[in-house]
Amino acid sequence: MFTQHKTRTMKLDGNILEVAESYRLNGSSRYDLLLDKNDTIGDEHIGTSIETPMRPDAFMMDDASKMKVIEHHFEEILNTLGMDLSDDSLKGTPHRVAKMFVKEIFHGLNPANKPKISLFENKFRYGQMLVEKSISLTSTCEHHFLPIIGKAHVAYISGGKVIGLSKINRIVDYFARRPQVQERLTVQIADELKKALETEDVAVMIDARHMCVACRGIQDQSSTTITAEYSGQFKNDKTKEEFLTYVGMES
């Protein structure tokens, strides 16, 4: 049976926060039970939604304020780990991490950073698939916040419009620069390209290494994960085989 849990308060930048302490069920704390469930989700790399999970108030705080809060909390993490923040090498680390989170590796969370896409008439009347292969991809696993590093292969067949090649890379990078699950990332890139290009004829494949697999848990240094999303003509076996040949994959 659960026992009554207690709360404690903490103060951050003038705000009073109420924090619930752990309470116990049959000798196990509620926190332990939640950890067991959440560890299973993370270890199995399970995604819960095609949309990136975001709160409605995600952008009510500006970037500078977010960096200030993250800097505070990361300083507390380092202190908890026993690191000496008076050391010259460490004293700027909380700020550097905060800036990296907001301005770099998670800048794809903010819709304001979404790349602007301009469409052009397909004046060459090129009717075959266009393939942009081996696009460098760096993302972050949302389960353990460790890097996902790999390549994305993207193809489309023009429905009358084309976009600049670099815009494909920018779309890939935008959705990668957020906490991700590879399956979701693959679908998000494909859906955005379909909307941008005004065609269903899009294929996306990602081949990536997950540092949460390489550096913890099973610690497998060699495996990669491949995901793919095919739409429109790419669901046709012949078209799909052509795409796989171009990107160097066996069909």
Side-chain angles (χ1 to χ4, degrees), residues 86-93 96:
S86 67
D87 185 272
D88 287 343
S89 180
L90 286 172
K91 65 174 55 175
T93 296
R96 287 190 291 267

Side-chain angles (χ1 to χ4, degrees), residues 154-168:
V154 175
Y156 74 92
I157 299 172
S158 174
K161 302 287 186 179
V162 296
I163 60 175
L165 294 180
S166 67
K167 297 300 184 183
I168 298 175

Side-chain angles (χ1 to χ4, degrees), residues 99-115:
K99 181 179 179 181
M100 175 185 69
F101 275 13
V102 175
K103 296 294 188 180
E104 298 178 72
I105 64 176
F106 298 138
H107 80 83
L109 288 172
N110 192 338
N113 296 325
K114 188 175 180 178

Side-chain angles (χ1 to χ4, degrees), residues 32-135:
D32 291 334
L33 295 174
L34 288 173
L35 280 182
D36 288 342
K37 177 182 178 182
N38 291 336
D39 278 349
T40 298
I41 291 175
D43 287 339
E44 298 298 330
H45 300 273
I46 297 170
T48 57
S49 171
I50 293 177
E51 299 298 326
T52 300
M54 300 289 290
R55 296 199 323 271
D57 63 347
F59 304 106
M60 292 183 67
M61 186 183 298
D62 61 27
D63 284 356
S65 299
K66 289 183 178 182
M67 287 169 59
K68 184 177 179 181
V69 174
I70 293 170
E71 181 176 345
H72 166 81
H73 285 295
F74 200 77
E75 182 175 322
E76 289 302 305
I77 290 172
L78 293 180
N79 279 324
T80 302
L81 291 172
M83 306 298 291
D84 180 5
L85 292 177
S86 67
D87 185 272
D88 287 343
S89 180
L90 286 172
K91 65 174 55 175
T93 296
H95 176 74
R96 287 190 291 267
V97 170
K99 181 179 179 181
M100 175 185 69
F101 275 13
V102 175
K103 296 294 188 180
E104 298 178 72
I105 64 176
F106 298 138
H107 80 83
L109 288 172
N110 192 338
N113 296 325
K114 188 175 180 178
K116 303 297 188 293
I117 304 299
S118 298
L119 290 178
F120 304 95
E121 293 292 332
N122 183 10
K123 293 184 178 181
F124 294 108
R125 296 183 181 178
Y126 181 73
Q128 304 302 310
M129 74 175 69
L130 182 147
V131 181
E132 185 90 356
K133 63 181 289 187
S134 299
I135 300 170

